[in-house]
Amino acid sequence: MTTMESLIGLVNRIQRACTVLGDYGGGDNSFSSLWEALPSVAVVGGQSSGKSSVLESIVGRDFLPRGSGIVTRRPLVLQLHKTDEGSQEYAEFLHLPKRRFTDFGAVRNEIQEETDRITGKTKQISPVPIHLSIYSPNVVNLTLIDLPGLTKVAIEGQPETIVEDIETMVRSYVEKPNCIILAISPANQDIATSDAMKLAREVDPSGDRTFGVLTKLDLMDKGTNALDVLEGRSYRLQQPWVGIVNRSQADINKNVDMIVARRKEREYFATSPDYGHLASKMGSEYLAKLLSQHLESVIRSRIPSITSSINKTIDELESEMDHLGRPIALDAGAQLYTVLEVCRAFERIFKEHLDGGRPGGDRIYGVFDNQLPAALKKLPFDRHLSLQNVRRIVSEADGYQPHLIAPEQGYRRLIEGALNYFRGPAEASVDAVHFVLKELVRKSIGETQELKRFPTLQADIAAAANEALERFRDESKKTVVRLVDMESSYLTVDFFRKLPQEVENKGGNPQAPVTDRYGEGHFRRIGSNVSSYVGMVSDTLKNTIPKAVVFCQVKEAKQSLLTRFYTQLGKKEGKQLLQLLDEDPALMERRQQCAKRLELYKAARDEIDSVSWTR
């Protein structure tokens, strides 16, 4: 095989692999960049211009549906693969990958049936391509795209937009810079009215990538010829014009072999008084070789950009593979390692939230610096230590015996009642921190890329983490309530020692009549003393409650959030571990497709490198 055949064959294989993976142009596919970078040949022409006959002449086989009106109603991506001399010819459809067609009449029927499967048995069209590969020693390596014939009016059974719909579909292929346009025009019509040449001029005004093909030369009126066109005088292109003589309808009806038809075509040009001097540059065989040579030239010039496109796609695919994760190992030890690695990744992110590497942990500081002090300030001490309430509590504490010096029981009851109010802010602080920790667990799970692969493991980690946070909250509540209870259980001795001194310093007389000790000033002084003591306790709890909460909840969450989960994990067997690592089927399919693409693109890069070095 020559270098040219190797190069074009390589492009064909790459395009074939792309179609198998769904990475082909003409559709909404994020991985079609390689296909777009590779050149292909789009066959464009009006209805009944002879497009089908040209394709069959190039292939050397009668395999396309025929009829009046729109016959080609879906794009046909035809990939020709040259095989060794003497090997059997066969065809394969992308939608029937395991079936080989050696009967080309069956190929025609399958094209028709596959067209009807999408469009129905109507004159509707569809942009969804049919992919057909033909392997034969009688073809050159080419990728040809047969497109619906351009038309000017809608016929019965077609939508009014059919003209615009067909042109839009054809444009979507031919306007791509890597598309070579094979513009088919019948010789027995004025070239100025050619639909194919009109569209080609619009998308390729310089004519660099347009090959003009004149069909039906043998059907021109006697005494006329198409030399002005074929020799480039009436319509100049950068590429040469090629004349084709198709099989006649009588030949088609008689099933004249394409090999015989090629021989007749050669004889026509060789013996023609008008075209004899151009015979070596006319005919379907010459057209196929000309396209192959041009493709080889285009491919060589674009190898750097093709390689660049492949390398870029490989980088994107490898990045996606890293994102999706590698396939799960089969042995239990490796599975346990995978689970532990995923758990550690989650814990690392969770700790980063708490320690400040990621946002969220500062909300815990906000609980202590804002919410707790604000809640302490709102406690109803003014009401509790009002004159009326102090008088009532002190009087009830004395019972039938009046207090002699200081109403100790009254003081105790007032202080204990006031300190009970601290339970609410203490427990609220615990709940607020618990809420923040739960939210950080949720965010950390969402930010752990490794966890997205395993829905079951994700749910189990979330459940284990939240169950641990519940335990930490319960323990924290017990601790902060104990702090409040401890303040109530033992009142500071110095406080009581100062009380008589404060009375004497103010000129008070401890031996004053009992009635003086029940005056308004006396009760106000008691309320003031209690308020002072409660303020001292409030300042203490403002410092000790955060310490208790951090110790019981935050520190525990950092150190032992998944401790019980790890203990349970160690008891699981291989089957149970595999259940934890059950991936989303869609993700598994995505990884499989990504791996196939990566293999394809790397192989393509290596092959292009090997071929380009032989130039």
Side-chain angles (χ1 to χ4, degrees):
M1 185 178 290
T2 66
T3 302
M4 180 183 76
E5 290 172 334
S6 298
L7 198 56
I8 299 175
L10 166 61
V11 170
N12 253 20
R13 290 195 300 276
I14 294 172
Q15 287 177 325
R16 174 64 179 168
C18 285
T19 59
V20 170
L21 294 174
D23 295 352
Y24 52 83
D28 181 15
N29 191 300
S30 59
F31 288 103
S32 62
S33 58
L34 179 54
W35 176 279
E36 300 290 351
L38 299 172
S40 56
V41 181
V43 185
V44 182
Q47 288 182 26
S48 303
S49 62
K51 288 193 300 92
S52 296
S53 295
V54 171
L55 284 172
E56 289 180 333
S57 295
I58 291 174
V59 174
R61 281 288 186 172
D62 188 353
F63 68 99
L64 292 172
R66 292 181 177 275
S68 60
I70 299 180
V71 178
T72 304
R73 290 182 284 122
R74 290 174 58 184
L76 175 66
V77 179
L78 175 62
Q79 292 180 297
L80 306 181
H81 303 265
K82 184 174 181 60
T83 57
D84 294 335
E85 201 65 40
S87 60
Q88 185 183 30
E89 292 179 290
Y90 66 93
E92 286 182 345
F93 287 94
L94 179 63
H95 62 276
L96 297 172
K98 296 181 180 179
R99 182 177 172 187
R100 285 189 175 185
F101 290 78
T102 55
D103 178 0
F104 282 82
V107 172
R108 181 192 307 110
N109 294 335
E110 182 58 33
I111 292 173
Q112 186 64 57
E113 290 175 8
E114 178 62 12
T115 298
D116 292 343
R117 187 179 68 82
I118 296 295
T119 64
K121 294 183 180 295
T122 66
K123 297 298 182 180
Q124 304 284 343
I125 64 169
S126 169
V128 180
I130 297 173
H131 292 270
L132 172 64
S133 290
I134 293 178
Y135 299 82
S136 169
N138 303 317
V139 300
V140 293
N141 290 310
L142 275 178
T143 293
L144 299 161
I145 305 171
D146 186 21
L147 297 166
L150 298 165
T151 185
K152 291 183 173 64
V153 293
I155 64 173
E156 188 68 29
Q158 293 177 341
E160 291 298 322
T161 60
I162 190 72
V163 176
E164 293 80 9
D165 292 343
I166 291 177
E167 183 172 335
T168 299
M169 184 195 302
V170 174
R171 278 182 182 275
S172 70
Y173 285 88
V174 299
E175 66 187 3
K176 294 170 184 173
N178 287 327
C179 178
I180 298 168
I181 304 168
L182 198 61
I184 311 293
S185 303
N188 57 355
Q189 294 179 13
D190 189 346
I191 194 67
T193 65
S194 169
D195 296 316
M197 296 312 301
K198 176 178 178 293
L199 182 59
R201 175 179 285 179
E202 291 177 7
V203 298
D204 180 32
S206 65
D208 289 335
R209 53 190 182 89
T210 299
F211 283 79
V213 177
L214 276 186
T215 61
K216 305 184 181 182
L217 288 168
D218 55 330
L219 299 182
M220 294 183 71
D221 294 337
K222 288 185 178 181
T224 63
N225 60 50
L227 284 177
D228 283 348
V229 176
L230 293 176
E231 292 179 346
R233 291 191 294 272
S234 63
Y235 195 103
R236 182 175 296 278
L237 294 172
Q238 297 298 320
Q239 309 300 334
W241 283 84
V242 178
I244 299 288
V245 174
N246 302 325
R247 287 182 300 168
S248 66
Q249 189 59 49
D251 288 341
I252 294 172
N253 294 339
K254 293 177 183 177
N255 292 321
V256 172
D257 184 81
M258 291 299 303
I259 303 299
V260 174
R262 282 182 177 179
R263 187 181 70 248
K264 285 186 175 182
E265 183 185 45
R266 288 195 298 270
E267 291 174 354
Y268 172 85
F269 284 112
T271 60
S272 169
D274 293 322
Y275 310 118
H277 65 293
L278 298 175
S280 63
K281 297 181 179 180
M282 294 289 122
S284 54
E285 289 179 289
Y286 174 76
L287 176 62
K289 292 177 182 177
L290 181 66
L291 289 174
S292 255
Q293 290 170 357
H294 183 72
L295 268 179
E296 192 251 356
S297 173
V298 170
I299 292 168
R300 286 194 183 282
S301 67
R302 294 181 183 169
I303 279 180
S305 63
I306 292 172
T307 304
S308 175
S309 175
I310 290 175
N311 287 333
K312 179 183 176 183
T313 306
I314 287 174
D315 291 341
E316 291 173 353
L317 288 169
E318 287 183 333
S319 176
E320 183 170 3
M321 283 295 290
D322 291 338
H323 178 73
L324 295 173
R326 301 297 169 176
I328 303 302
L330 297 178
D331 63 287
Q335 291 167 2
L336 179 60
Y337 177 81
T338 299
V339 173
L340 292 174
E341 282 295 293
V342 172
C343 291
R344 291 190 189 102
F346 158 73
E347 286 189 304
R348 182 178 65 254
I349 292 175
F350 178 70
K351 290 175 182 176
E352 287 175 2
H353 277 293
L354 290 177
D355 293 334
R358 296 173 186 252
D362 55 307
R363 291 168 58 192
I364 295 175
Y365 173 75
V367 171
F368 302 143
D369 196 50
N370 299 314
Q371 292 178 237
L372 177 60
L376 293 175
K377 287 181 180 179
K378 291 180 181 178
L379 293 177
F381 293 133
D382 290 345
R383 186 176 71 246
H384 181 69
L385 297 177
S386 66
L387 183 63
Q388 295 81 1
N389 201 49
V390 171
R391 178 184 287 114
R392 180 182 63 77
I393 291 175
V394 170
S395 299
E396 290 174 355
D398 282 343
Y400 72 91
Q401 291 282 1
H403 61 269
L404 299 177
I405 301 176
E408 181 179 333
Q409 291 302 319
Y411 269 110
R412 288 188 180 276
R413 290 191 182 183
L414 283 168
I415 292 173
E416 289 172 0
L419 296 186
N420 279 333
Y421 285 115
F422 287 117
R423 285 174 173 260
E427 292 182 335
S429 297
V430 172
D431 289 333
V433 170
H434 176 74
F435 177 81
V436 173
L437 292 173
K438 282 188 67 174
E439 183 65 15
L440 293 183
V441 164
R442 186 190 65 78
K443 288 184 66 176
S444 299
I445 287 176
E447 294 169 8
T448 305
Q449 294 296 331
E450 296 88 340
L451 264 179
K452 293 180 179 180
R453 296 176 58 186
F454 312 115
T456 300
L457 180 58
Q458 184 179 121
D460 283 7
I461 288 178
N466 287 323
E467 186 270 335
L469 292 180
E470 293 288 344
R471 293 199 318 272
F472 302 154
R473 177 175 66 173
D474 293 343
E475 187 60 35
S476 186
K477 277 194 176 181
K478 291 177 183 177
T479 301
V480 296
V481 169
R482 283 195 188 102
L483 289 176
V484 175
D485 290 345
M486 283 190 290
E487 294 292 344
S488 303
S489 299
Y490 185 78
L491 306 184
T492 307
V493 177
D494 287 346
F495 177 77
F496 288 99
R497 287 175 178 168
K498 292 176 181 178
L499 289 182
Q501 296 173 9
E502 289 175 359
V503 173
E504 290 171 5
N505 290 339
K506 293 179 181 179
N509 183 2
Q511 301 301 324
V514 174
T515 54
D516 294 341
R517 298 187 188 120
Y518 284 89
E520 183 175 310
H522 178 61
F523 289 118
R524 287 189 186 281
R525 188 163 56 251
I526 292 173
S528 177
N529 290 333
V530 171
S531 178
S532 177
Y533 185 80
V534 169
M536 179 185 69
V537 172
S538 179
D539 290 340
T540 300
L541 292 176
K542 196 184 300 182
N543 294 321
T544 55
I545 288 175
K547 292 180 180 181
V549 170
V550 169
F551 182 80
C552 296
Q553 288 176 268
V554 180
K555 186 178 178 182
E556 282 296 303
K558 285 178 63 176
Q559 294 180 346
S560 54
L561 186 65
L562 296 181
T563 298
R564 289 195 181 183
F565 179 74
Y566 289 141
T567 302
Q568 296 167 356
L569 198 61
K571 301 175 183 178
K572 292 184 182 294
E573 298 178 353
K575 186 177 180 180
Q576 294 171 310
L577 289 172
L578 196 57
Q579 289 174 347
L580 283 178
L581 298 174
D582 64 331
E583 293 186 271
D584 182 350
L587 188 144
M588 293 175 67
E589 174 66 20
R590 188 177 171 190
R591 183 195 298 110
Q592 187 178 22
Q593 289 297 315
C594 188
K596 287 181 180 178
R597 289 187 175 97
L598 190 56
E599 182 180 0
L600 158 68
Y601 283 79
K602 286 183 175 179
R605 180 181 61 187
D606 294 342
E607 285 203 64
I608 287 176
D609 286 345
S610 65
V611 172
S612 62
W613 277 107
T614 62
R615 288 189 289 174

mmCIF file of all heavy atoms in Angstrom, residues 372 376 422 483 487 492 533-547:
data_model
loop_
_atom_site.group_PDB
_atom_site.id
_atom_site.type_symbol
_atom_site.label_atom_id
_atom_site.label_comp_id
_atom_site.label_asym_id
_atom_site.label_seq_id
_atom_site.Cartn_x
_atom_site.Cartn_y
_atom_site.Cartn_z
ATOM 1 N N LEU A 372 -24.809 33.839 70.788
ATOM 2 C CA LEU A 372 -24.833 33.554 72.229
ATOM 3 C C LEU A 372 -24.884 34.835 73.056
ATOM 4 O O LEU A 372 -25.755 34.966 73.936
ATOM 5 C CB LEU A 372 -23.618 32.698 72.613
ATOM 6 C CG LEU A 372 -23.484 32.383 74.110
ATOM 7 C CD1 LEU A 372 -24.708 31.622 74.619
ATOM 8 C CD2 LEU A 372 -22.205 31.573 74.364
ATOM 9 N N LEU A 376 -28.010 35.951 75.530
ATOM 10 C CA LEU A 376 -27.835 36.218 76.961
ATOM 11 C C LEU A 376 -28.384 37.589 77.341
ATOM 12 O O LEU A 376 -28.974 37.775 78.410
ATOM 13 C CB LEU A 376 -26.349 36.123 77.325
ATOM 14 C CG LEU A 376 -25.720 34.721 77.216
ATOM 15 C CD1 LEU A 376 -24.218 34.784 77.494
ATOM 16 C CD2 LEU A 376 -26.391 33.744 78.181
ATOM 17 N N PHE A 422 -30.305 30.520 81.850
ATOM 18 C CA PHE A 422 -29.135 30.292 80.994
ATOM 19 C C PHE A 422 -29.218 28.977 80.214
ATOM 20 O O PHE A 422 -28.477 28.771 79.252
ATOM 21 C CB PHE A 422 -27.847 30.298 81.841
ATOM 22 C CG PHE A 422 -27.449 31.664 82.316
ATOM 23 C CD1 PHE A 422 -27.417 31.963 83.664
ATOM 24 C CD2 PHE A 422 -27.116 32.651 81.403
ATOM 25 C CE1 PHE A 422 -27.048 33.223 84.104
ATOM 26 C CE2 PHE A 422 -26.740 33.908 81.836
ATOM 27 C CZ PHE A 422 -26.714 34.199 83.187
ATOM 28 N N LEU A 483 -22.801 22.787 83.041
ATOM 29 C CA LEU A 483 -22.138 24.045 83.389
ATOM 30 C C LEU A 483 -23.110 24.995 84.076
ATOM 31 O O LEU A 483 -22.771 25.651 85.081
ATOM 32 C CB LEU A 483 -21.567 24.710 82.130
ATOM 33 C CG LEU A 483 -20.342 24.053 81.482
ATOM 34 C CD1 LEU A 483 -19.974 24.781 80.197
ATOM 35 C CD2 LEU A 483 -19.149 24.064 82.447
ATOM 36 N N GLU A 487 -23.212 26.171 88.242
ATOM 37 C CA GLU A 487 -23.316 27.535 88.755
ATOM 38 C C GLU A 487 -24.448 27.641 89.778
ATOM 39 O O GLU A 487 -24.368 28.399 90.751
ATOM 40 C CB GLU A 487 -23.547 28.520 87.601
ATOM 41 C CG GLU A 487 -22.391 28.647 86.626
ATOM 42 C CD GLU A 487 -21.172 29.307 87.245
ATOM 43 O OE1 GLU A 487 -21.301 29.931 88.322
ATOM 44 O OE2 GLU A 487 -20.063 29.205 86.669
ATOM 45 N N THR A 492 -20.855 31.429 94.828
ATOM 46 C CA THR A 492 -19.538 31.904 95.232
ATOM 47 C C THR A 492 -19.581 32.492 96.637
ATOM 48 O O THR A 492 -20.377 33.383 96.935
ATOM 49 C CB THR A 492 -19.037 32.970 94.245
ATOM 50 O OG1 THR A 492 -19.107 32.428 92.931
ATOM 51 C CG2 THR A 492 -17.628 33.376 94.560
ATOM 52 N N TYR A 533 -24.461 39.359 90.730
ATOM 53 C CA TYR A 533 -23.964 37.984 90.738
ATOM 54 C C TYR A 533 -24.302 37.282 89.414
ATOM 55 O O TYR A 533 -23.458 36.597 88.821
ATOM 56 C CB TYR A 533 -24.566 37.206 91.901
ATOM 57 C CG TYR A 533 -23.995 35.814 92.025
ATOM 58 C CD1 TYR A 533 -22.768 35.593 92.631
ATOM 59 C CD2 TYR A 533 -24.680 34.720 91.507
ATOM 60 C CE1 TYR A 533 -22.236 34.321 92.726
ATOM 61 C CE2 TYR A 533 -24.161 33.443 91.587
ATOM 62 C CZ TYR A 533 -22.931 33.252 92.211
ATOM 63 O OH TYR A 533 -22.401 31.994 92.297
ATOM 64 N N VAL A 534 -25.519 37.478 88.933
ATOM 65 C CA VAL A 534 -25.942 36.857 87.681
ATOM 66 C C VAL A 534 -25.075 37.375 86.517
ATOM 67 O O VAL A 534 -24.712 36.624 85.619
ATOM 68 C CB VAL A 534 -27.436 37.129 87.410
ATOM 69 C CG1 VAL A 534 -27.822 36.725 85.989
ATOM 70 C CG2 VAL A 534 -28.293 36.383 88.418
ATOM 71 N N GLY A 535 -24.720 38.657 86.524
ATOM 72 C CA GLY A 535 -23.851 39.205 85.495
ATOM 73 C C GLY A 535 -22.493 38.537 85.502
ATOM 74 O O GLY A 535 -21.910 38.271 84.437
ATOM 75 N N MET A 536 -21.996 38.285 86.732
ATOM 76 C CA MET A 536 -20.712 37.598 86.832
ATOM 77 C C MET A 536 -20.793 36.184 86.250
ATOM 78 O O MET A 536 -19.906 35.742 85.504
ATOM 79 C CB MET A 536 -20.308 37.523 88.308
ATOM 80 C CG MET A 536 -18.988 36.791 88.544
ATOM 81 S SD MET A 536 -18.636 36.614 90.305
ATOM 82 C CE MET A 536 -19.918 35.438 90.782
ATOM 83 N N VAL A 537 -21.873 35.483 86.537
ATOM 84 C CA VAL A 537 -22.063 34.134 86.005
ATOM 85 C C VAL A 537 -22.214 34.185 84.475
ATOM 86 O O VAL A 537 -21.698 33.345 83.754
ATOM 87 C CB VAL A 537 -23.292 33.465 86.653
ATOM 88 C CG1 VAL A 537 -23.599 32.138 85.968
ATOM 89 C CG2 VAL A 537 -23.048 33.252 88.134
ATOM 90 N N SER A 538 -22.941 35.193 83.984
ATOM 91 C CA SER A 538 -23.143 35.335 82.539
ATOM 92 C C SER A 538 -21.814 35.493 81.825
ATOM 93 O O SER A 538 -21.581 34.877 80.778
ATOM 94 C CB SER A 538 -24.053 36.532 82.262
ATOM 95 O OG SER A 538 -24.231 36.701 80.874
ATOM 96 N N ASP A 539 -20.922 36.307 82.386
ATOM 97 C CA ASP A 539 -19.601 36.487 81.776
ATOM 98 C C ASP A 539 -18.829 35.176 81.760
ATOM 99 O O ASP A 539 -18.097 34.881 80.803
ATOM 100 C CB ASP A 539 -18.810 37.550 82.534
ATOM 101 C CG ASP A 539 -19.379 38.954 82.324
ATOM 102 O OD1 ASP A 539 -20.111 39.143 81.323
ATOM 103 O OD2 ASP A 539 -19.121 39.839 83.166
ATOM 104 N N THR A 540 -18.998 34.400 82.843
ATOM 105 C CA THR A 540 -18.303 33.107 82.909
ATOM 106 C C THR A 540 -18.827 32.148 81.849
ATOM 107 O O THR A 540 -18.058 31.521 81.113
ATOM 108 C CB THR A 540 -18.482 32.480 84.305
ATOM 109 O OG1 THR A 540 -17.939 33.366 85.293
ATOM 110 C CG2 THR A 540 -17.775 31.127 84.381
ATOM 111 N N LEU A 541 -20.174 32.032 81.760
ATOM 112 C CA LEU A 541 -20.771 31.105 80.791
ATOM 113 C C LEU A 541 -20.520 31.532 79.353
ATOM 114 O O LEU A 541 -20.448 30.697 78.444
ATOM 115 C CB LEU A 541 -22.276 30.984 81.039
ATOM 116 C CG LEU A 541 -22.674 30.294 82.353
ATOM 117 C CD1 LEU A 541 -24.189 30.315 82.528
ATOM 118 C CD2 LEU A 541 -22.160 28.851 82.373
ATOM 119 N N LYS A 542 -20.410 32.830 79.130
ATOM 120 C CA LYS A 542 -20.127 33.328 77.786
ATOM 121 C C LYS A 542 -18.798 32.757 77.277
ATOM 122 O O LYS A 542 -18.596 32.613 76.070
ATOM 123 C CB LYS A 542 -20.081 34.851 77.803
ATOM 124 C CG LYS A 542 -20.170 35.497 76.416
ATOM 125 C CD LYS A 542 -20.025 37.005 76.499
ATOM 126 C CE LYS A 542 -21.113 37.628 77.348
ATOM 127 N NZ LYS A 542 -20.996 39.113 77.391
ATOM 128 N N ASN A 543 -17.901 32.434 78.186
ATOM 129 C CA ASN A 543 -16.605 31.862 77.820
ATOM 130 C C ASN A 543 -16.595 30.337 77.871
ATOM 131 O O ASN A 543 -15.957 29.687 77.044
ATOM 132 C CB ASN A 543 -15.511 32.400 78.737
ATOM 133 C CG ASN A 543 -15.278 33.895 78.545
ATOM 134 O OD1 ASN A 543 -15.306 34.380 77.412
ATOM 135 N ND2 ASN A 543 -15.052 34.617 79.627
ATOM 136 N N THR A 544 -17.314 29.771 78.854
ATOM 137 C CA THR A 544 -17.231 28.314 79.045
ATOM 138 C C THR A 544 -18.146 27.537 78.099
ATOM 139 O O THR A 544 -17.811 26.413 77.701
ATOM 140 C CB THR A 544 -17.568 27.946 80.495
ATOM 141 O OG1 THR A 544 -18.850 28.489 80.847
ATOM 142 C CG2 THR A 544 -16.513 28.495 81.446
ATOM 143 N N ILE A 545 -19.301 28.113 77.728
ATOM 144 C CA ILE A 545 -20.198 27.398 76.807
ATOM 145 C C ILE A 545 -19.525 27.156 75.460
ATOM 146 O O ILE A 545 -19.542 26.025 74.946
ATOM 147 C CB ILE A 545 -21.536 28.155 76.643
ATOM 148 C CG1 ILE A 545 -22.366 28.024 77.921
ATOM 149 C CG2 ILE A 545 -22.314 27.622 75.445
ATOM 150 C CD1 ILE A 545 -23.649 28.839 77.919
ATOM 151 N N PRO A 546 -18.893 28.171 74.815
ATOM 152 C CA PRO A 546 -18.191 27.896 73.555
ATOM 153 C C PRO A 546 -17.111 26.838 73.693
ATOM 154 O O PRO A 546 -16.927 26.012 72.789
ATOM 155 C CB PRO A 546 -17.595 29.258 73.186
ATOM 156 C CG PRO A 546 -18.505 30.253 73.818
ATOM 157 C CD PRO A 546 -18.907 29.624 75.109
ATOM 158 N N LYS A 547 -16.385 26.863 74.820
ATOM 159 C CA LYS A 547 -15.335 25.863 75.013
ATOM 160 C C LYS A 547 -15.922 24.453 75.064
ATOM 161 O O LYS A 547 -15.390 23.517 74.468
ATOM 162 C CB LYS A 547 -14.561 26.162 76.302
ATOM 163 C CG LYS A 547 -13.725 27.434 76.219
ATOM 164 C CD LYS A 547 -12.983 27.689 77.511
ATOM 165 C CE LYS A 547 -12.138 28.963 77.411
ATOM 166 N NZ LYS A 547 -11.386 29.247 78.642
#
